[in-house]
């Protein structure tokens, strides 16, 4: 997902193009990491002095409903990032310090699947948390 694709999704769903929405998406595109609503507010409040948490949350939920952003909870706080461009099944290593992610293409379900034959698995979530190389060397 990139800004243009995201804007097309919004337009197709009948949502207005606003500078605020475009700037929020640009922030996610630039940062390429998980951001909280607070991060978004801090980055945009100079440009939009009246910007409220409420507005940000509403837009972030909209973006994640439309699969523009994906959400997860880290340290008890909801964070968002641009949805991955690849449709290939994968999971993420997530740095808890900077929010950057790396793809891992092996899936733990592959080995678990056969262990519970009576349970019909319809989906799963798997994330690995830690410190990335950059944050470890600081
Ligand atoms: Zn991914
Ligand atoms: Zn990091
Ligand atoms: Zn998987």
């Amino acid at each position: 997902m990139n800004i243009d694709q995201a804007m097309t999704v919004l337009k197709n769903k009948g949502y207005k193009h606003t500078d605020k929405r475009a700037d929020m998406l640009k922030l996610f595109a630039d940062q390429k990491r998980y951001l909280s609503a607070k991060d978004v507010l801090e980055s945009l409040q100079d440009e939009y002095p009246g910007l409220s948490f409420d507005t940000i949350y509403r837009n972030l939920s909209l973006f994640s409903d439309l699969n523009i952003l994906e959400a997860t909870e880290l340290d008890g706080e909801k964070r968002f990032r641009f949805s991955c461009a690849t449709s290939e099944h994968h999971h993420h290593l997530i740095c808890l310090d900077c929010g950057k992610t790396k793809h891992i293409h092996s899936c733990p379900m592959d080995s678990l699947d056969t262990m519970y034959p009576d349970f019909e698995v319809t989906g799963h979530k798997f994330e690995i948390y830690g410190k990335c190389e950059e944050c470890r060397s600081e």
Side-chain angles (χ1 to χ4, degrees):
M1 192 65 76
N2 58 39
I3 301 179
D4 288 340
Q5 287 169 328
M7 282 310 196
T8 308
V9 172
L10 285 170
K11 204 175 141 213
N12 289 344
K13 298 276 176 184
Y15 291 99
K16 265 199 312 233
H17 176 114
T18 66
D19 289 344
K20 213 182 280 171
R21 280 187 181 139
D23 282 347
M24 284 175 74
L25 291 170
K26 191 174 172 301
L27 178 68
F28 282 99
D30 289 346
Q31 299 274 328
K32 293 188 178 65
R33 62 192 180 93
Y34 274 107
L35 299 170
S36 65
K38 194 167 146 257
D39 295 328
V40 176
L41 183 69
E42 276 168 7
S43 305
L44 296 184
Q45 64 186 359
D46 287 346
E47 197 154 341
Y48 303 98
L51 191 62
S52 69
F53 264 120
D54 196 51
T55 307
I56 291 172
Y57 273 122
R58 238 183 308 120
N59 279 292
L60 293 178
S61 320
L62 171 70
F63 294 156
S64 79
D65 285 347
L66 297 174
N67 291 322
I68 291 168
L69 298 180
E70 52 186 83
T72 193
E73 207 171 296
L74 302 175
D75 284 339
E77 202 176 359
K78 215 162 183 200
R79 319 279 171 115
F80 301 83
R81 68 189 287 277
F82 254 114
S83 294
C84 290
T86 174
S87 56
E88 205 179 310
H89 186 81
H90 65 279
H91 294 279
H92 291 144
L93 297 169
I94 303 172
C95 175
L96 291 175
D97 284 358
C98 68
K100 284 196 181 122
T101 58
K102 265 197 176 128
H103 283 181
I104 40 175
H105 288 278
S106 56
C107 173
M109 257 340 265
D110 293 345
S111 55
L112 289 175
D113 230 5
T114 52
M115 282 170 70
Y116 308 99
D118 296 334
F119 187 84
E120 188 200 359
V121 175
T122 54
H124 65 275
K125 248 181 147 174
F126 182 71
E127 292 177 333
I128 302 175
Y129 310 111
K131 258 187 173 195
C132 74
E133 216 175 302
E134 258 167 68
C135 293
R136 282 181 67 194
S137 59
E138 261 170 22

